[in-house]
Amino acid sequence: MSARVAIIGRPNVGKSTLFNRLVGRKLALVDDEPGVTRDRREGDARLADLAFTIVDTAGLEESDPETLAGRMRAQTEAALEDCDAILFVVDARAGLTSADRHFAQAVRRAGKPIIVIANKAEGGAARDGVYDAFGLGLGDPIALSAEHGEGLSELYDALVEVLPRSARLDPDEEEAPEPLVLGDEEDGSELDLAKPLRIAVLGRPNAGKSTLINHILGQDRLLTGPEPGITRDSIGLDAEWRGRKLKIFDTAGLRRRSRVVGKVEKLAVADALRAVRFAEVVVLLLDATIPFEKQDLTLADLVEQEGRALVIGLNKWDLIDNKSDKARELRAEADRLLPQLRGTRVIPVSGLTGAHVEKLMEAIVATDAIWNTRISTGRLNRWLKPVVDTTPPPAVAGRQVKIRYITQPKARPPFFVLFGNSVASIPESYKRYLVNGLRETFGLIGVPIRLSMRSGGDNPYAGKKRRG
C-alpha cells in the first residue's frame, strides 16, 4: 500500500494547485471562488524519488453533520484518519486567519506528522505571512509557491523525514512485466487485463451517480445528498470487480448548455467531458422516474461522437411500479430514440439499494469487449457479398457503384473501410444499411461504428475458396 499524504487548509489557500503540482497534471479544478473542492480527490504524486498518494480535501468547518458542509467535513476527516502525513496549507500573502488557527487545532488532534506549507510565497510581499505561520506551533513552515513550483526541494526534505521507507523508489527496481493480453486468433481482438477498465458515469444532476459508485465501491467514498450539483471534479476511483481492475470516474451533473452560467460549473462540465474522452465505457445514468429527457439524448449522442462504448443505467428503479412492463417499454424507447446506438444495453438499477448493480457491471465488461472487437477481413467479406448482391447500392449519375471488399483496420471503436469504385458517392441511407448489418451480424451493440469509403483496391479474397 502506498504512502498517503493529505492536503488540509481553509478554502482558497491553494490546496488544489498544490495537488496538481504534485501529480504533474491539472486534475483538480482550480478557481478563485472559495470552496470549489467538495470531495476528497486522490492522485499519484511524484517528488524526486518519492512516490505517494496525494489527497486533496475540502474544509473542516464546524457544521451540522446532515448539511452539505458537514458531509464535506466528514470526507476531510476520513482523509486525515487514513493518511501517513499532513500538508497543512496557509496563504502566506493573507497571513494567518482565525480559520487557519481553527483548522490547525483539528489537524493537531489527528496525531499525524504535520508539514506546514506557507503557499503563495513568491516575492518579498509574502515574507511576513511565512513568519506568521511559525505562530501555529506546528513546526517550521516551508515557503512554497505551488503555482510556480518554488520550494519543492524543501518539501521533499520534509516528506523524506515523515514518510515510510516504502515511499522511496528503488532505482534498481525491475521493470514491470508485460501486461497479460488475451486475443482471438480469428478476429484478432485484444483485451488488456493488466490495465484498469476506465469507466465514466455520466448524467444529469441528481441522477444518483455518486450514490451508485459508492455502492460499487462498497463504501461511502463520494459525497452524496439531495442538493443538485454536489459533484464538481471528475474524481477517478480504483475498484475491482470479479478480479478485473477498474477506474471509475464520477462526473458533475450536466445540464443544458443554456443553463450553465457560473464559471465553476463551466469548469466542472469541461472536466466531465474530459472524463468521457479518456473513458473506455460510459455509463449514462438516467433517472428512471423521468427517463430520456432531451439532455439524456444529447449526452448519449456525445458519447457516440466521442467513440466510447455506452451502457444505459436506469437508476432509482426501486421507485418504479410494474417493473417488467416498464423495463420492456424503456428498452424499446432507447432503440427508437438512439438508432445510432441500436441494441445498447439498458440496465435497471438502484444505487440506493444495490439492486441489479451486478447486472450493470456485467453489461459494462461485456460492452467493453465489444468495443475492442476485431473482425477478420475474411469474415467481413463473406458477410458483405450476399448483402451487396441482395441489395446493391444505388447507381450514381447512371453509373453502377461497385463495392469490392471491406476490412477493419482498428477497433476502439470498430472502424471499417469499404473499397470500390465511386463508393464516396454512396448515400447515407445505404451506409446506415451496411452499419446496421454489421451491428446485427457481428453483435456490435452499445458501441459506435465508423465506416469509411475509399476508391480503388482489388478484393484480396476474390476467387478464393471458403475455408471450413
Side-chain angles (χ1 to χ4, degrees):
M1 183 178 178
S2 70
R4 300 175 67 84
V5 178
I7 304 176
I8 306 295
R10 64 177 175 83
N12 234 27
V13 294
K15 300 189 297 295
S16 294
T17 303
L18 178 58
F19 174 90
N20 287 341
R21 172 66 62 177
L22 292 174
V23 299
R25 290 183 293 162
K26 292 183 178 180
L27 288 182
L29 298 186
V30 176
D31 190 68
D32 292 336
E33 177 183 320
V36 171
T37 301
R38 290 177 170 176
D39 239 312
R40 52 191 159 120
R41 178 167 201 155
E42 299 179 2
D44 296 326
R46 284 287 300 273
L47 193 56
D49 63 344
L50 286 178
F52 51 93
T53 298
I54 189 74
V55 185
D56 190 16
T57 64
L60 279 167
E61 291 89 349
E62 294 288 351
S63 301
D64 188 297
E66 300 303 317
T67 65
L68 177 58
R71 300 197 301 276
M72 290 164 59
R73 178 187 175 92
Q75 289 283 323
T76 301
E77 288 175 341
L80 285 173
E81 185 177 342
D82 197 33
C83 71
D84 297 288
I86 298 168
L87 302 183
F88 182 68
V89 185
V90 297
D91 186 338
R93 293 181 194 167
L96 288 187
T97 67
S98 58
D100 291 322
R101 293 185 174 88
H102 168 73
F103 277 35
Q105 292 299 321
V107 166
R108 187 179 282 109
R109 288 195 296 269
K112 303 292 177 69
I114 301 169
I115 299 171
V116 178
I117 304 292
N119 192 30
K120 307 181 185 179
E122 64 273 12
R127 188 178 299 116
D128 290 344
V130 175
Y131 292 146
D132 281 351
F134 280 94
L136 293 171
L138 296 174
D140 295 351
I142 295 173
L144 187 141
S145 171
E147 184 175 358
H148 300 286
E150 299 173 7
L152 293 179
S153 60
E154 290 82 1
L155 176 58
Y156 168 82
D157 293 337
L159 285 170
V160 166
E161 293 294 322
V162 298
L163 291 184
R165 180 67 182 82
S166 59
R168 300 285 289 272
L169 294 174
D170 185 352
D172 299 324
E173 190 177 43
E174 295 182 3
E175 293 186 4
E178 289 295 320
L180 174 63
V181 176
L182 300 183
D184 183 284
E185 186 175 340
E186 166 70 10
D187 289 348
S189 58
E190 293 185 351
L191 199 58
D192 188 344
L193 297 183
K195 295 179 181 178
L197 171 58
R198 298 170 69 88
I199 305 164
V201 182
L202 197 66
R204 288 181 284 123
N206 261 18
K209 299 180 292 296
S210 299
T211 302
L212 174 65
I213 294 174
N214 279 342
H215 196 94
I216 294 172
L217 298 174
Q219 57 176 304
D220 291 332
R221 172 60 182 81
L222 295 168
L223 199 61
T224 61
E227 305 90 346
I230 290 178
T231 302
R232 287 173 167 176
D233 289 276
S234 294
I235 299 175
L237 300 166
D238 294 316
E240 189 171 299
W241 182 77
R242 296 184 184 177
R244 182 78 185 271
K245 293 181 180 179
L246 310 173
K247 187 83 169 181
I248 306 176
F249 291 85
D250 187 23
T251 64
L254 300 182
R255 301 191 294 170
R256 290 202 302 268
R257 184 178 299 179
S258 60
R259 294 186 178 181
V260 179
V261 292
K263 181 182 177 183
V264 172
E265 186 175 2
K266 289 179 180 178
L267 289 171
V269 168
D271 206 28
L273 298 181
R274 187 161 49 249
V276 171
R277 294 187 186 104
F278 284 98
E280 293 161 302
V281 180
V282 175
V283 176
L284 178 57
L285 201 63
L286 313 184
D287 185 334
T289 63
I290 45 171
F292 296 114
E293 298 278 291
K294 183 178 180 181
Q295 180 67 355
D296 296 326
L297 302 179
T298 300
L299 294 177
D301 193 53
L302 167 71
V303 174
E304 195 278 337
Q305 291 175 21
E306 293 294 337
R308 307 299 98 180
L310 176 67
V311 174
I312 296 175
L314 297 170
N315 197 26
K316 307 182 184 180
W317 198 246
D318 50 299
L319 303 178
I320 299 297
D321 297 323
N322 301 319
K323 290 180 169 53
S324 296
D325 293 339
K326 190 67 172 179
R328 284 192 294 271
E329 174 191 331
L330 293 179
R331 288 190 179 101
E333 191 78 348
D335 283 345
R336 184 181 69 83
L337 295 172
L338 299 170
Q340 73 275 35
L341 290 165
R342 188 176 301 278
T344 295
R345 289 175 171 86
V346 179
I347 311 297
V349 68
S350 171
L352 185 64
T353 68
H356 307 304
V357 168
E358 284 292 297
K359 290 183 179 179
L360 178 67
M361 298 307 300
E362 289 170 356
I364 290 170
V365 172
T367 305
D368 174 63
I370 294 171
W371 192 63
N372 283 274
T373 292
R374 294 289 295 269
I375 305 169
S376 69
T377 303
R379 287 186 63 197
L380 286 171
N381 284 280
R382 289 195 292 273
W383 163 79
L384 180 66
K385 187 178 186 309
V387 167
V388 174
D389 288 347
T390 303
T391 309
V396 177
R399 295 183 59 188
Q400 181 183 3
V401 175
K402 184 175 180 59
I403 295 176
R404 292 193 172 93
Y405 74 101
I406 187 172
T407 188
Q408 183 189 358
K410 61 181 180 179
R412 303 165 64 88
F415 178 83
F416 302 93
V417 180
L418 196 70
F419 290 87
N421 72 300
S422 302
V423 290
S425 302
I426 290 177
E428 289 298 321
S429 58
Y430 194 79
K431 292 178 185 177
R432 285 195 298 271
Y433 164 69
L434 294 175
V435 166
N436 289 337
L438 286 166
R439 191 182 301 281
E440 182 178 345
T441 303
F442 299 106
L444 302 177
I445 61 173
V447 300
I449 295 176
R450 304 291 188 245
L451 181 62
S452 178
M453 305 293 177
R454 294 185 189 173
S455 297
D458 295 324
N459 184 356
Y461 289 83
K464 293 188 177 182
K465 293 183 178 180
R466 179 178 175 179
R467 293 181 298 171

